[in-house]
Amino acid sequence: MKIIHNIKDLRQEMSSWRKEGLSIGFVPTMGYLHEGHGYLVKRASSENDRVVVSIFVNPIQFGPSEDFEKYPRDMEMDSRTVEACGGHVIFNPSAEEMYPSGFSTHVDVSGLTEGLCGAKRPGHFRGVCTVVSKLFNIVQPDRAYFGEKDAQQLAVIKRMVRDLNMPIEIVPCPIIREEDGLAKSSRNTYLNPEERRAALVLNRSLTAAINLMENGEINSSSIKARIEGIIKAEPLARIDYIEIIDSVTLNSIGEVKGSVLVAIAVYIGKTRLIDNFTFSGGDR
Ligand code: AMP
């Protein structure tokens, strides 16, 4: 397993693989890897001859009051994880390598980025789409692996790839959770023990929503009210959003019909956590 820091060296490695006819799977991450990332790398390694994992805390996707500076980083732990999961190369560029002075081109996906995290984190998806486009151009993978944990990001990336005719298959991967149901996240390390316990309210509220829907509830307001009630009963939690939307268009829906995404963002203390599930309702 190799760690490559600059674009030129990475391109050289990729072109030698391509000359050998090897397929390339790509997993973009911000590092501090956990089993959710591990799943993506293992999946990529089972479906491709070679796997590149990028580790880059992308400054342009963080807002001015967000956690760019304190985002956790640990390259040694990450290289062990990538190696154990079957990755071949870690691409770990500096911010200067990715954004040299004078950098002025950005990728904007409209519509899909307007609600949910896009509304709460202005400029976030512009930063994500710009860095993912750059990484796609540098690596030129056959397939790229994204977690359903970031459901809006996945929808936005799929749209970008379709709209810009990028010849890359986007492979969605399931949300990997702790044993007690909390979705794995690099940001979980910010939680103190009391907050860690309180964070279970995300999964608890979504599980209650799934039960309601499985029992035939189709009214979005009633489902939202159920989620809201459970989260509000947790003193350390503060709701950022609760959305019930069409899983493809990301438009709000009044009634559960077709494939529906239930997505929430909740502050536990100062830490903002997200979680979601997709429910396939009938055409009632
Ligand atoms: P990040 O390092 O947070 O930018 O995440 C990199 C990739 O890992 C994204 O595609 C995420 O959706 C995915 N990911 C993060 N957490 C999880 C998880 N708990 N389960 C599955 N995928 C995840």
Side-chain angles (χ1 to χ4, degrees), residues 28-30 34 36-37 40 146-147 149-150 153 174-176 184:
T29 81
M30 298 203 299
H34 49 66
H37 301 110
L40 306 187
F146 288 85
K149 156 106 190 316
D150 298 271
Q153 168 172 283
I175 302 177
I176 305 300
K184 291 194 183 256

Side-chain angles (χ1 to χ4, degrees), residues 61-269:
Q61 72 185 63
F62 287 77
S65 59
E66 292 182 358
D67 56 343
F68 173 69
E69 294 296 342
K70 73 164 189 172
Y71 197 85
R73 293 159 168 93
D74 188 340
M75 266 308 281
E76 261 179 42
M77 177 185 81
D78 287 350
S79 17
R80 283 196 298 273
T81 305
V82 170
E83 180 139 43
C85 296
H88 300 88
V89 162
I90 291 178
F91 179 48
N92 175 226
S94 65
E96 296 71 37
E97 180 78 0
M98 291 297 276
Y99 303 114
S101 82
F103 184 88
S104 53
T105 305
H106 294 86
V107 179
D108 253 317
V109 173
S110 55
L112 289 183
T113 57
E114 277 156 27
L116 297 105
C117 293
K120 301 292 180 176
R121 304 182 66 190
H124 171 68
F125 285 113
R126 186 178 199 239
V128 169
C129 290
T130 302
V131 79
V132 171
S133 301
K134 283 174 66 71
L135 291 167
F136 281 179
N137 283 332
I138 295 165
V139 178
Q140 298 184 27
D142 297 280
R143 296 178 195 84
Y145 295 79
F146 288 85
E148 286 169 348
K149 156 106 190 316
D150 298 271
Q152 187 178 20
Q153 168 172 283
L154 177 58
V156 168
I157 297 291
K158 277 187 186 162
R159 181 66 62 86
M160 175 186 83
V161 163
R162 190 198 75 174
D163 288 354
L164 297 182
N165 309 97
M166 295 174 169
I168 298 169
E169 182 191 339
I170 301 301
V171 183
C173 297
I175 302 177
I176 305 300
R177 298 178 179 279
E178 302 288 352
E179 265 176 28
D180 60 10
L182 179 67
K184 291 194 183 256
S185 165
S186 311
R187 289 191 167 100
N188 291 348
T189 53
Y190 298 154
L191 304 170
N192 67 32
E194 210 187 333
E195 291 169 339
R196 174 65 183 75
R197 181 203 47 75
L200 292 177
V201 77
L202 280 90
N203 187 238
R204 200 160 63 239
S205 68
L206 291 181
T207 304
I210 295 173
N211 285 339
L212 267 186
M213 292 161 87
E214 280 177 351
N215 285 319
E217 181 59 78
I218 58 166
N219 184 282
S220 295
S221 308
S222 314
I223 301 163
K224 269 192 202 177
R226 185 68 202 275
I227 297 174
E228 189 178 330
I230 293 172
I231 299 175
K232 282 194 167 158
E234 170 50 64
L236 295 182
R238 180 165 60 82
I239 295 168
D240 195 30
Y241 66 70
I242 301 170
E243 296 289 350
I244 302 189
I245 55 185
D246 180 282
S247 70
V248 178
T249 63
L250 307 190
N251 291 331
S252 279
I253 50 170
E255 281 194 354
V256 172
K257 198 179 174 196
S259 176
V260 171
L261 175 68
V262 180
I264 60 176
V266 178
Y267 281 94
I268 302 293

